[in-house]
Amino acid sequence: METQIITRITPHEPASWQQSLANVVTDPFELLKALDLPLDLLPGVKQAARLFGLKVTHSYLKRIRKADPQDPLLLQVLPHLAETQPQPKNFSHDPVGDHDATQVPGVIHKYHGRVLLITTAACAIHCRYCFRRNFPYADSHAGRNQWQTALDYIANDESIEEVILSGGDPLVLADHKLAELCQKLSDIPHLKRLRLHTRLPIVLPERINDSFLDWISGSQLKIVLVVHCNHPNEINDEVATALNKLSDAGIPTFNQAVLLKHINDSVDILARLSKELFAASVMPYYLHQLDPVTGAAHFAVSVKKAQDLYAQLTALLPGYLVPRLVIEQAGMPAKTLLTP
Ligand SMILES: *Cc1c(COP(=O)(O)O)cnc(C)c1O
Ligand code: SF4
């Protein structure tokens, strides 16, 4: 089903980013070979990949150091045996209560004034700590034939001012599909803002092409972009160029990161991340405490350590470069701040 969405090439735009999306690495052996990693890792990688498949773009792969099993980008995508081990009691399949907050297929309405619209199940990369790694996407995203139900829900609730396209990753959809959906949304009078939650500018920067920029800057709704980047090594020149293009097109762009053990749980890395994002015209937004999703326990950082890091970061950076440290708790009216 995923491949159907991502490999379809439309006459409306150049095929290149869609070809890159179709050419992602999903074979554990290919990944280990490409990165000069010991092949004795293979059985464990394969076992963990059965629970949540390996998926990484070539663009992202190029930023991983070779022959370094501890590379902070590799750790985000390499399936690990720890994922298959028994998990602490508070870890579950749906840690943030998305199932209960799903109003109609693809619409998650938890907070005042804004709803999440799940437009596709597909992503360009599989992040091992993803809180939706076990989410039954196939049943719960609004495929094109269900858009109408989702649009009706939004049209019938005048308190909704903002729609957040999420997924999966909404930018795996072709521009003409995004434009069609966005057109329908802009016909709803009480909608003011359209937000895109996407990791594609980071993991497949060629996605930010002229056709996309034309669409996004021509939209009637005010558009906001929130990218997902966890480590400064994720930002190479290509990514910085793509992010700067968004800013040049007048799109406010923010970042959310997840605090991850052995990946970015150090004040130096977090400070560098904020500074390099800002240099690429992106404002830090959230630093999320890991959602306790089954299979991701080995990424968890304690709340105490998170708060310590936050205090150090605050002492080091201007206020506008410090993301809000938050945790998502089912049933709360917003993300919960973990800082005084
Ligand atoms: C995180 C989230 C949002 C967005 O929250 P903001 O604080 O506005 O960024 C909206 N809806 C749901 C269901 C969410 O999980
Ligand atoms: S890109 Fe986002 S939604 Fe997709 S796997 Fe990574 S964290 Fe999850």
Side-chain angles (χ1 to χ4, degrees), residues 98 108-111 114-116 164 195 197 285-286 288 328 335:
D98 274 356
I108 303 178
H109 193 177
K110 285 185 187 168
Y111 302 155
R114 52 226 197 270
V115 295
L116 226 62
I164 304 170
R195 195 192 313 182
H197 275 183
Y285 182 34
Y286 283 140
H288 292 270
E328 184 166 350
K335 314 274 186 251

PDB file of all heavy atoms in Angstrom, residues 98 108-111 114-116 164 195 197 285-286 288 328 335, ligand 1:
ATOM      1  N   ASP A  98      -3.989   8.320  20.623  1.00  0.00           N
ATOM      2  CA  ASP A  98      -4.475   8.732  19.310  1.00  0.00           C
ATOM      3  C   ASP A  98      -5.758   7.993  18.916  1.00  0.00           C
ATOM      4  O   ASP A  98      -6.639   8.548  18.282  1.00  0.00           O
ATOM      5  CB  ASP A  98      -3.409   8.488  18.234  1.00  0.00           C
ATOM      6  CG  ASP A  98      -2.437   9.656  18.132  1.00  0.00           C
ATOM      7  OD1 ASP A  98      -2.654  10.666  18.833  1.00  0.00           O
ATOM      8  OD2 ASP A  98      -1.475   9.557  17.356  1.00  0.00           O
ATOM      9  N   ILE A 108      -7.625  13.476  14.091  1.00  0.00           N
ATOM     10  CA  ILE A 108      -7.331  13.363  15.524  1.00  0.00           C
ATOM     11  C   ILE A 108      -7.526  14.743  16.140  1.00  0.00           C
ATOM     12  O   ILE A 108      -6.809  15.689  15.818  1.00  0.00           O
ATOM     13  CB  ILE A 108      -5.892  12.853  15.758  1.00  0.00           C
ATOM     14  CG1 ILE A 108      -5.696  11.495  15.052  1.00  0.00           C
ATOM     15  CG2 ILE A 108      -5.606  12.714  17.244  1.00  0.00           C
ATOM     16  CD1 ILE A 108      -4.284  10.924  15.191  1.00  0.00           C
ATOM     17  N   HIS A 109      -8.527  14.846  16.975  1.00  0.00           N
ATOM     18  CA  HIS A 109      -8.891  16.137  17.551  1.00  0.00           C
ATOM     19  C   HIS A 109      -8.699  16.074  19.054  1.00  0.00           C
ATOM     20  O   HIS A 109      -9.512  15.489  19.767  1.00  0.00           O
ATOM     21  CB  HIS A 109     -10.357  16.456  17.217  1.00  0.00           C
ATOM     22  CG  HIS A 109     -10.711  17.888  17.495  1.00  0.00           C
ATOM     23  ND1 HIS A 109     -11.953  18.407  17.213  1.00  0.00           N
ATOM     24  CD2 HIS A 109      -9.996  18.908  18.019  1.00  0.00           C
ATOM     25  CE1 HIS A 109     -11.959  19.700  17.556  1.00  0.00           C
ATOM     26  NE2 HIS A 109     -10.799  20.008  18.047  1.00  0.00           N
ATOM     27  N   LYS A 110      -7.605  16.672  19.525  1.00  0.00           N
ATOM     28  CA  LYS A 110      -7.316  16.642  20.965  1.00  0.00           C
ATOM     29  C   LYS A 110      -7.331  18.031  21.571  1.00  0.00           C
ATOM     30  O   LYS A 110      -7.664  18.193  22.728  1.00  0.00           O
ATOM     31  CB  LYS A 110      -5.909  16.077  21.203  1.00  0.00           C
ATOM     32  CG  LYS A 110      -5.774  14.593  21.037  1.00  0.00           C
ATOM     33  CD  LYS A 110      -4.355  14.181  21.430  1.00  0.00           C
ATOM     34  CE  LYS A 110      -4.106  12.729  21.119  1.00  0.00           C
ATOM     35  NZ  LYS A 110      -2.683  12.396  21.215  1.00  0.00           N
ATOM     36  N   TYR A 111      -6.862  19.015  20.814  1.00  0.00           N
ATOM     37  CA  TYR A 111      -6.612  20.333  21.371  1.00  0.00           C
ATOM     38  C   TYR A 111      -7.556  21.360  20.784  1.00  0.00           C
ATOM     39  O   TYR A 111      -8.028  21.221  19.655  1.00  0.00           O
ATOM     40  CB  TYR A 111      -5.159  20.766  21.078  1.00  0.00           C
ATOM     41  CG  TYR A 111      -4.098  19.833  21.606  1.00  0.00           C
ATOM     42  CD1 TYR A 111      -2.843  19.795  21.017  1.00  0.00           C
ATOM     43  CD2 TYR A 111      -4.349  18.990  22.690  1.00  0.00           C
ATOM     44  CE1 TYR A 111      -1.854  18.952  21.491  1.00  0.00           C
ATOM     45  CE2 TYR A 111      -3.359  18.138  23.164  1.00  0.00           C
ATOM     46  CZ  TYR A 111      -2.117  18.120  22.565  1.00  0.00           C
ATOM     47  OH  TYR A 111      -1.150  17.281  23.032  1.00  0.00           O
ATOM     48  N   ARG A 114      -7.388  23.229  16.877  1.00  0.00           N
ATOM     49  CA  ARG A 114      -6.565  22.587  15.846  1.00  0.00           C
ATOM     50  C   ARG A 114      -6.790  21.078  15.817  1.00  0.00           C
ATOM     51  O   ARG A 114      -6.969  20.454  16.857  1.00  0.00           O
ATOM     52  CB  ARG A 114      -5.091  22.932  16.021  1.00  0.00           C
ATOM     53  CG  ARG A 114      -4.506  22.687  17.399  1.00  0.00           C
ATOM     54  CD  ARG A 114      -3.657  23.907  17.832  1.00  0.00           C
ATOM     55  NE  ARG A 114      -2.753  23.604  18.935  1.00  0.00           N
ATOM     56  CZ  ARG A 114      -3.085  23.745  20.220  1.00  0.00           C
ATOM     57  NH1 ARG A 114      -4.306  24.120  20.555  1.00  0.00           N
ATOM     58  NH2 ARG A 114      -2.199  23.486  21.161  1.00  0.00           N
ATOM     59  N   VAL A 115      -6.759  20.543  14.610  1.00  0.00           N
ATOM     60  CA  VAL A 115      -6.904  19.091  14.448  1.00  0.00           C
ATOM     61  C   VAL A 115      -5.772  18.560  13.586  1.00  0.00           C
ATOM     62  O   VAL A 115      -5.221  19.258  12.735  1.00  0.00           O
ATOM     63  CB  VAL A 115      -8.237  18.677  13.773  1.00  0.00           C
ATOM     64  CG1 VAL A 115      -9.423  19.023  14.632  1.00  0.00           C
ATOM     65  CG2 VAL A 115      -8.365  19.254  12.370  1.00  0.00           C
ATOM     66  N   LEU A 116      -5.455  17.309  13.836  1.00  0.00           N
ATOM     67  CA  LEU A 116      -4.466  16.611  13.024  1.00  0.00           C
ATOM     68  C   LEU A 116      -5.211  15.842  11.940  1.00  0.00           C
ATOM     69  O   LEU A 116      -6.181  15.141  12.230  1.00  0.00           O
ATOM     70  CB  LEU A 116      -3.744  15.612  13.941  1.00  0.00           C
ATOM     71  CG  LEU A 116      -2.241  15.507  13.918  1.00  0.00           C
ATOM     72  CD1 LEU A 116      -1.617  16.836  14.333  1.00  0.00           C
ATOM     73  CD2 LEU A 116      -1.779  14.435  14.895  1.00  0.00           C
ATOM     74  N   ILE A 164      -3.648  20.520  10.803  1.00  0.00           N
ATOM     75  CA  ILE A 164      -2.251  20.083  10.750  1.00  0.00           C
ATOM     76  C   ILE A 164      -2.183  18.811   9.917  1.00  0.00           C
ATOM     77  O   ILE A 164      -2.730  17.774  10.308  1.00  0.00           O
ATOM     78  CB  ILE A 164      -1.718  19.793  12.169  1.00  0.00           C
ATOM     79  CG1 ILE A 164      -1.888  21.022  13.075  1.00  0.00           C
ATOM     80  CG2 ILE A 164      -0.263  19.340  12.114  1.00  0.00           C
ATOM     81  CD1 ILE A 164      -1.627  20.772  14.549  1.00  0.00           C
ATOM     82  N   ARG A 195      -1.022  23.749   8.762  1.00  0.00           N
ATOM     83  CA  ARG A 195       0.319  23.415   9.225  1.00  0.00           C
ATOM     84  C   ARG A 195       0.741  22.086   8.607  1.00  0.00           C
ATOM     85  O   ARG A 195      -0.067  21.177   8.487  1.00  0.00           O
ATOM     86  CB  ARG A 195       0.307  23.304  10.756  1.00  0.00           C
ATOM     87  CG  ARG A 195       1.696  23.325  11.341  1.00  0.00           C
ATOM     88  CD  ARG A 195       1.786  22.930  12.795  1.00  0.00           C
ATOM     89  NE  ARG A 195       0.853  23.503  13.751  1.00  0.00           N
ATOM     90  CZ  ARG A 195       0.917  23.227  15.051  1.00  0.00           C
ATOM     91  NH1 ARG A 195       1.865  22.449  15.531  1.00  0.00           N
ATOM     92  NH2 ARG A 195       0.022  23.728  15.889  1.00  0.00           N
ATOM     93  N   HIS A 197       3.336  18.997   9.191  1.00  0.00           N
ATOM     94  CA  HIS A 197       4.324  18.325  10.034  1.00  0.00           C
ATOM     95  C   HIS A 197       5.072  17.343   9.152  1.00  0.00           C
ATOM     96  O   HIS A 197       4.502  16.363   8.683  1.00  0.00           O
ATOM     97  CB  HIS A 197       3.630  17.555  11.168  1.00  0.00           C
ATOM     98  CG  HIS A 197       3.333  18.395  12.366  1.00  0.00           C
ATOM     99  ND1 HIS A 197       2.766  17.890  13.511  1.00  0.00           N
ATOM    100  CD2 HIS A 197       3.532  19.716  12.612  1.00  0.00           C
ATOM    101  CE1 HIS A 197       2.626  18.859  14.416  1.00  0.00           C
ATOM    102  NE2 HIS A 197       3.069  19.973  13.887  1.00  0.00           N
ATOM    103  N   TYR A 285      11.220  24.671  18.303  1.00  0.00           N
ATOM    104  CA  TYR A 285       9.839  24.742  18.793  1.00  0.00           C
ATOM    105  C   TYR A 285       9.701  23.823  20.007  1.00  0.00           C
ATOM    106  O   TYR A 285       9.665  24.290  21.138  1.00  0.00           O
ATOM    107  CB  TYR A 285       8.894  24.363  17.656  1.00  0.00           C
ATOM    108  CG  TYR A 285       7.410  24.416  17.943  1.00  0.00           C
ATOM    109  CD1 TYR A 285       6.866  25.356  18.798  1.00  0.00           C
ATOM    110  CD2 TYR A 285       6.535  23.522  17.311  1.00  0.00           C
ATOM    111  CE1 TYR A 285       5.489  25.401  19.037  1.00  0.00           C
ATOM    112  CE2 TYR A 285       5.166  23.564  17.531  1.00  0.00           C
ATOM    113  CZ  TYR A 285       4.646  24.501  18.395  1.00  0.00           C
ATOM    114  OH  TYR A 285       3.289  24.537  18.611  1.00  0.00           O
ATOM    115  N   TYR A 286       9.686  22.513  19.757  1.00  0.00           N
ATOM    116  CA  TYR A 286       9.549  21.572  20.862  1.00  0.00           C
ATOM    117  C   TYR A 286      10.753  20.643  20.962  1.00  0.00           C
ATOM    118  O   TYR A 286      11.322  20.243  19.943  1.00  0.00           O
ATOM    119  CB  TYR A 286       8.314  20.673  20.656  1.00  0.00           C
ATOM    120  CG  TYR A 286       6.979  21.314  20.971  1.00  0.00           C
ATOM    121  CD1 TYR A 286       5.876  21.075  20.164  1.00  0.00           C
ATOM    122  CD2 TYR A 286       6.808  22.113  22.096  1.00  0.00           C
ATOM    123  CE1 TYR A 286       4.621  21.630  20.450  1.00  0.00           C
ATOM    124  CE2 TYR A 286       5.563  22.663  22.396  1.00  0.00           C
ATOM    125  CZ  TYR A 286       4.478  22.419  21.570  1.00  0.00           C
ATOM    126  OH  TYR A 286       3.261  22.963  21.872  1.00  0.00           O
ATOM    127  N   HIS A 288      10.749  17.101  22.555  1.00  0.00           N
ATOM    128  CA  HIS A 288       9.798  16.153  23.137  1.00  0.00           C
ATOM    129  C   HIS A 288      10.508  15.109  23.976  1.00  0.00           C
ATOM    130  O   HIS A 288      11.479  14.504  23.532  1.00  0.00           O
ATOM    131  CB  HIS A 288       9.045  15.388  22.034  1.00  0.00           C
ATOM    132  CG  HIS A 288       8.119  16.225  21.229  1.00  0.00           C
ATOM    133  ND1 HIS A 288       6.800  16.418  21.571  1.00  0.00           N
ATOM    134  CD2 HIS A 288       8.311  16.930  20.093  1.00  0.00           C
ATOM    135  CE1 HIS A 288       6.221  17.198  20.666  1.00  0.00           C
ATOM    136  NE2 HIS A 288       7.118  17.532  19.755  1.00  0.00           N
ATOM    137  N   GLU A 328       3.921  14.582  25.860  1.00  0.00           N
ATOM    138  CA  GLU A 328       2.506  14.483  25.500  1.00  0.00           C
ATOM    139  C   GLU A 328       1.837  13.462  26.398  1.00  0.00           C
ATOM    140  O   GLU A 328       2.318  12.343  26.548  1.00  0.00           O
ATOM    141  CB  GLU A 328       2.345  14.065  24.032  1.00  0.00           C
ATOM    142  CG  GLU A 328       0.885  14.070  23.641  1.00  0.00           C
ATOM    143  CD  GLU A 328       0.628  14.011  22.150  1.00  0.00           C
ATOM    144  OE1 GLU A 328       1.585  14.150  21.358  1.00  0.00           O
ATOM    145  OE2 GLU A 328      -0.538  13.816  21.785  1.00  0.00           O
ATOM    146  N   LYS A 335       0.308  19.924  25.025  1.00  0.00           N
ATOM    147  CA  LYS A 335       1.526  19.242  25.470  1.00  0.00           C
ATOM    148  C   LYS A 335       1.857  19.774  26.871  1.00  0.00           C
ATOM    149  O   LYS A 335       1.654  20.960  27.158  1.00  0.00           O
ATOM    150  CB  LYS A 335       2.683  19.539  24.532  1.00  0.00           C
ATOM    151  CG  LYS A 335       2.354  19.412  23.051  1.00  0.00           C
ATOM    152  CD  LYS A 335       2.508  18.001  22.515  1.00  0.00           C
ATOM    153  CE  LYS A 335       2.326  17.936  21.013  1.00  0.00           C
ATOM    154  NZ  LYS A 335       1.069  17.288  20.589  1.00  0.00           N
TER     155      LYS A 335
HETATM  156  C1  LIG B   1       0.915  17.852  19.137  1.00  0.00           C
HETATM  157  C2  LIG B   1      -0.444  17.895  18.591  1.00  0.00           C
HETATM  158  C3  LIG B   1      -0.972  19.072  18.039  1.00  0.00           C
HETATM  159  C4  LIG B   1      -0.182  20.324  17.929  1.00  0.00           C
HETATM  160  O1  LIG B   1       0.054  20.905  19.146  1.00  0.00           O
HETATM  161  P1  LIG B   1       0.749  22.352  19.185  1.00  0.00           P
HETATM  162  O2  LIG B   1       1.031  22.571  20.608  1.00  0.00           O
HETATM  163  O3  LIG B   1      -0.200  23.315  18.583  1.00  0.00           O
HETATM  164  O4  LIG B   1       1.992  22.230  18.336  1.00  0.00           O
HETATM  165  C5  LIG B   1      -2.278  19.067  17.608  1.00  0.00           C
HETATM  166  N1  LIG B   1      -3.044  17.963  17.683  1.00  0.00           N
HETATM  167  C6  LIG B   1      -2.563  16.810  18.193  1.00  0.00           C
HETATM  168  C7  LIG B   1      -3.460  15.622  18.234  1.00  0.00           C
HETATM  169  C8  LIG B   1      -1.246  16.728  18.646  1.00  0.00           C
HETATM  170  O5  LIG B   1      -0.791  15.571  19.129  1.00  0.00           O
END
